[in-house]
Amino acid sequence: NAGVMQNPRHLVRRRGQEARLRCSPMKGHSHVYWYRQLPEEGLKFMVYLQKENIIDESGMPKERFSAEFPKEGPSILRIQQVVRGDSAAYFCASSPETANTEAFFGQGTRLTVV
Amino acid sequence: DAKTTQPTSMDCAEGRAANLPCNHSTISGNEYVYWYRQIHSQGPQYIIHGLKNNETNEMASLIITEDRKSSTLILPHATLRDTAVYYCIVYGGTSYGKLTFGQGTILTVHP
């Protein structure tokens, strides 16, 4: 059973470009979570999605950031008009449900904005 | 904000047991204690979780006090590869879907 797959592993974008980060959850998992880890800081929750629904986006910046988890295909975290402060590691996790279960994390996408 | 308190760092000799404490004095009845670790810059790795009973799996043991206000993660025979940041997280209740990571404990295992 493959784990949570994130791609690309490393992404370099110039200021003002768009970044699209992909996350394929583990087989059978319908819950996806995105976290961000700024350099030398802890992991911060961004958004929680189920298939076609955003359940909790309380950690998402109000502008430029969006997330989706379509019925078919991976979950996408999109960052428009990237700025240097967006440089971070973005981790995706998935779980089969939310209650009394563990979330499995991917290896992350390291975004560098130049 | 994280609802747990952990020591900033700990050391352990290879082959010995590593005991990582965590205080969670405000935990409510329907919240679980979860432990994750992050090795270098990899994705966090689930270790173990429990509600009120002690738990054991192939990686570790989790001891939760009777009043549930604190817990200890035990790595029975630490190896150099166990060097990582260990996070104790209170999860559940109204916060399903949102793991709140604090600063964790940096565990360094020495040869």
Side-chain angles (χ1 to χ4, degrees):
Chain A
N1 189 10
V4 177
M5 303 300 293
Q6 290 189 247
N7 66 82
R9 291 293 305 278
H10 300 275
L11 181 62
V12 179
R13 284 288 178 266
R14 296 185 183 279
R15 282 178 293 171
Q17 291 185 320
E18 178 180 283
R20 292 167 68 91
L21 288 63
R22 296 175 184 77
C23 169
S24 296
M26 289 181 69
K27 186 176 181 180
H29 288 192
S30 58
H31 300 254
V32 166
Y33 319 86
W34 286 92
Y35 290 78
R36 178 167 68 173
Q37 188 168 33
L38 294 167
E40 307 303 323
E41 293 190 18
L43 289 137
K44 301 295 184 185
F45 167 82
M46 299 182 74
V47 63
Y48 160 36
L49 311 101
Q50 291 183 35
K51 283 286 188 181
E52 301 184 276
N53 291 304
I54 296 174
I55 307 302
D56 182 347
E57 57 181 348
S58 58
M60 287 279 273
K62 299 299 181 192
E63 300 178 345
R64 302 186 297 107
F65 284 72
S66 63
E68 63 177 11
F69 188 18
K71 186 176 180 180
E72 301 292 337
S75 175
I76 305 289
L77 179 67
R78 180 187 302 172
I79 311 172
Q80 297 178 300
Q81 299 175 325
V82 296
V83 300
R84 288 225 170 104
D86 297 332
S87 295
Y90 293 82
F91 292 98
C92 169
S94 73
S95 67
E97 55 186 82
T98 56
N100 191 23
T101 187
E102 60 269 31
F104 294 89
F105 282 79
Q107 290 305 300
T109 294
R110 274 133 188 97
L111 172 67
T112 302
V113 179
V114 297
Chain B
D1 292 332
K3 297 185 283 188
T4 63
T5 303
Q6 299 177 250
T8 302
S9 63
M10 294 183 65
D11 289 339
C12 178
E14 189 176 21
R16 305 296 293 267
N19 297 285
L20 289 83
C22 179
N23 288 322
H24 31 79
S25 58
T26 61
I27 192 170
S28 60
N30 58 354
E31 290 181 314
Y32 291 78
V33 179
Y34 275 70
W35 285 82
Y36 282 80
R37 72 181 182 183
Q38 188 174 25
I39 297 173
H40 193 45
S41 299
Q42 298 178 19
Q45 179 187 22
Y46 165 82
I47 301 173
I48 199 167
H49 76 279
L51 183 63
K52 55 183 179 181
N53 297 321
N54 297 337
E55 302 287 345
T56 296
N57 62 22
E58 65 278 4
M59 288 183 68
S61 294
L62 174 61
I63 308 299
I64 303 174
T65 57
E66 191 169 345
D67 63 8
R68 302 213 318 129
K69 292 185 177 181
S70 66
S71 61
T72 301
L73 177 74
I74 301 172
L75 306 179
H77 305 287
T79 70
L80 298 179
R81 286 178 290 185
D82 291 323
T83 294
V85 181
Y86 286 77
Y87 298 98
C88 169
I89 300 169
V90 170
Y91 178 68
T94 59
S95 66
Y96 276 125
K98 182 189 298 184
L99 292 167
T100 301
F101 289 84
Q103 293 304 307
T105 296
I106 301 171
L107 175 68
T108 303
V109 181
H110 297 285

